[in-house]
């Protein structure tokens, strides 16, 4: 959001249940884990924050991008977080350690994605 916050909403009342403050830039992307206990947010301040969705507290800040974080997405098993940034990098984060597991340039990511698709199409996974 443009006010640099992350808001959780109670769907039954239509009211905000938590306003999470801590980013110093516009929040551009959010992701929620499978049991809705954690929220991840990416911001113009080049950071990703992990939030406790129950009480709205920031648990940690993930740093590594050199430009705004535009999107965040969790892996299906919840062990990795993917981040896309205006620094033309795709970050892959190991959430257990809170560290980069891998960082790929945009072009490396496109090749990796296309190669995985080709392998799948030919039955090689």
């Amino acid at each position: 959001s443009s006010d640099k916050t992350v808001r959780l909403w109670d769907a039954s009342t239509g009211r905000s249940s938590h306003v999470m403050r801590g980013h110093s830039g516009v929040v551009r992307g959010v992701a929620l884990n499978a049991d809705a206990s954690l929220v991840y947010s990416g911001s113009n301040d080049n950071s990703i924050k992990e939030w406790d969705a129950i009480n709205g507290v920031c648990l940690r800040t993930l740093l590594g991008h050199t430009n705004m974080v535009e999107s965040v997405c969790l892996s299906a098993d919840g062990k990795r977080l993917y981040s896309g940034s205006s620094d033309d990098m795709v970050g892959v984060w190991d959430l257990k350690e809170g560290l980069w597991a891998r960082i790929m340039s945009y072009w490396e990511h496109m090749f990796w994605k296309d190669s995985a698709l080709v392998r799948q199409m030919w039955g090689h996974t």
Side-chain angles (χ1 to χ4, degrees):
S1 90
S2 61
D3 68 359
K4 306 172 190 172
T5 66
V6 176
R7 293 177 185 265
L8 295 182
W9 297 87
D10 183 326
S12 63
T13 65
R15 295 186 180 165
S16 177
S17 59
H18 291 297
V19 178
M20 296 174 268
R21 292 177 173 85
H23 281 294
S24 61
V26 171
V27 175
R28 301 191 54 91
V30 296
L32 189 65
N33 73 341
D35 68 3
S37 63
L38 297 171
V39 177
Y40 296 88
S41 59
S43 170
N44 281 9
D45 65 10
N46 307 352
S47 74
I48 299 164
K49 293 195 178 287
E50 179 183 67
W51 305 89
D52 181 320
I54 307 305
N55 62 27
V57 172
C58 181
L59 301 174
R60 63 181 164 177
T61 301
L62 304 174
L63 299 171
H65 283 293
T66 59
N67 207 329
M68 68 178 106
V69 178
E70 304 225 22
S71 59
V72 290
C73 177
L74 281 162
S75 63
D77 63 10
K79 293 180 180 179
R80 294 189 189 273
L81 180 78
Y82 303 96
S83 57
S85 170
S86 291
D87 62 10
D88 294 329
M89 302 302 266
V90 175
V92 182
W93 300 84
D94 176 338
L95 291 176
K96 182 178 179 185
E97 301 296 326
L99 300 171
W100 291 104
R102 182 170 167 80
I103 186 166
M104 297 180 281
S105 70
Y106 172 77
W107 295 110
E108 181 183 6
H109 163 70
M110 293 305 291
F111 175 77
W112 177 70
K113 179 185 79 166
D114 291 343
S115 295
L117 179 62
V118 168
R119 287 194 304 273
Q120 182 181 10
M121 288 171 46
W122 289 98
H124 304 286
T125 55

